[in-house]
Amino acid sequence: MRVIAWAAALASLVGCAADTEPRPLNSERIRARYGDYAVDVRYQSESLRISELYSRATGERHTRTIAIVEFAAVPVPELAAVDATIRAGASLGATLRNAGWEIAKESLWIGTVDPAQTAHRRLRTAMCSSENLPIAAYRYRLRITKSGDQAYTYATVTEFYDPDYLDEQAVRRTSTAPTEPENRSVVTTPLNLLANVTLHRDSVATPCD
């Protein structure tokens, strides 16, 4: 399958890189795969952000990732300006990295939203997925540090991926081993939050390809 071959190549590149080199951000992987990338923040509060990461190089907008970000308290004053930029709608990982922060993902859970689940139809519609395939999900803590100093948790993130972009095995190959592999309930709250948020496909009449 096309997505598996692409992800295997990416995993190989990541594995060959030195430990000091940052892994590609989700935004960078979308741009590399589809030719462009943008983020659309659908909901924002002091503690929560829900966004769609999408591509439209073919002329049609396609959501590649739906991300639910649960912000932690700002850990140090020097992060305040960057945090304000992110909460104003800027890309999470790219903004932190461009400001000099090193990023690591502490994997909590990796799995799928199966076609039999009620939430699957909503995700499939949002992503314009033409196939009734399981949708990969990844929950992790976003840890940041600067110049080797103390690491902080900036947010806990849950991401759902377009099946054409990443499947569960592809996520596992490019992530660390999860610390809560059996705790499927960790994605229940993020899925429930999506039920109350207007996503892009909810507000346009344009049919999917």
Side-chain angles (χ1 to χ4, degrees), residues 2 22 30 59 61 86 100 121 155 163 183 199-200:
R2 182 162 54 103
I30 293 173
R61 169 171 166 161
I86 290 170
R121 176 178 290 277
N183 190 11
L199 300 176
H200 173 69

Side-chain angles (χ1 to χ4, degrees), residues 6-208:
W6 173 84
L10 174 64
S12 176
L13 289 172
V14 170
C16 292
D19 291 341
T20 55
E21 293 184 14
R23 295 191 180 198
L25 300 171
N26 192 25
S27 56
E28 294 170 337
R29 291 190 291 179
I30 293 173
R31 182 178 288 111
R33 174 82 187 275
Y34 298 104
D36 69 349
Y37 156 83
V39 60
D40 179 7
V41 177
R42 306 302 299 182
Y43 176 84
Q44 179 84 54
S45 70
E46 284 297 310
S47 60
L48 182 70
R49 170 164 136 174
I50 299 176
S51 60
E52 297 182 59
L53 286 66
Y54 66 93
S55 65
R56 62 184 318 154
T58 61
E60 174 71 18
R61 169 171 166 161
H62 284 276
T63 295
R64 305 301 179 182
T65 304
I66 294 175
I68 295 90
V69 179
E70 301 164 57
F71 292 105
V74 177
V76 287
E78 66 177 305
L79 185 61
V82 177
D83 179 68
T85 300
I86 290 170
R87 294 183 192 236
S91 182
L92 193 72
T95 302
L96 287 165
R97 186 173 285 177
N98 290 340
W101 291 89
E102 298 172 24
I103 298 171
K105 295 179 180 180
E106 179 187 340
S107 300
L108 299 176
W109 186 84
I110 300 171
T112 60
V113 179
D114 296 319
Q117 293 179 254
T118 302
H120 185 274
R121 176 178 290 277
R122 177 152 177 75
L123 291 169
R124 181 185 175 191
T125 300
M127 297 173 181
C128 277
S129 177
S130 60
E131 298 182 84
N132 198 30
L133 298 172
I135 292 173
Y138 180 33
R139 183 170 173 85
Y140 59 90
R141 288 193 187 95
L142 187 66
R143 303 277 288 168
I144 61 172
T145 187
K146 184 176 280 190
S147 304
D149 292 338
Q150 180 181 351
Y152 304 98
T153 296
Y154 180 71
T156 300
V157 183
T158 306
E159 295 178 336
F160 301 98
Y161 303 106
D162 170 21
D164 183 67
Y165 170 44
L166 291 174
D167 62 14
E168 180 184 354
Q169 293 308 311
V171 176
R172 291 186 182 279
R173 280 192 292 270
T174 56
S175 306
T176 59
T179 59
E180 302 179 32
E182 305 303 322
N183 190 11
R184 189 179 187 87
S185 65
V186 296
V187 296
T188 300
T189 296
L191 286 172
N192 289 339
L193 288 170
L194 285 177
N196 299 312
V197 173
T198 301
L199 300 176
H200 173 69
R201 286 290 163 188
D202 298 329
S203 57
V204 298
T206 307
C208 297

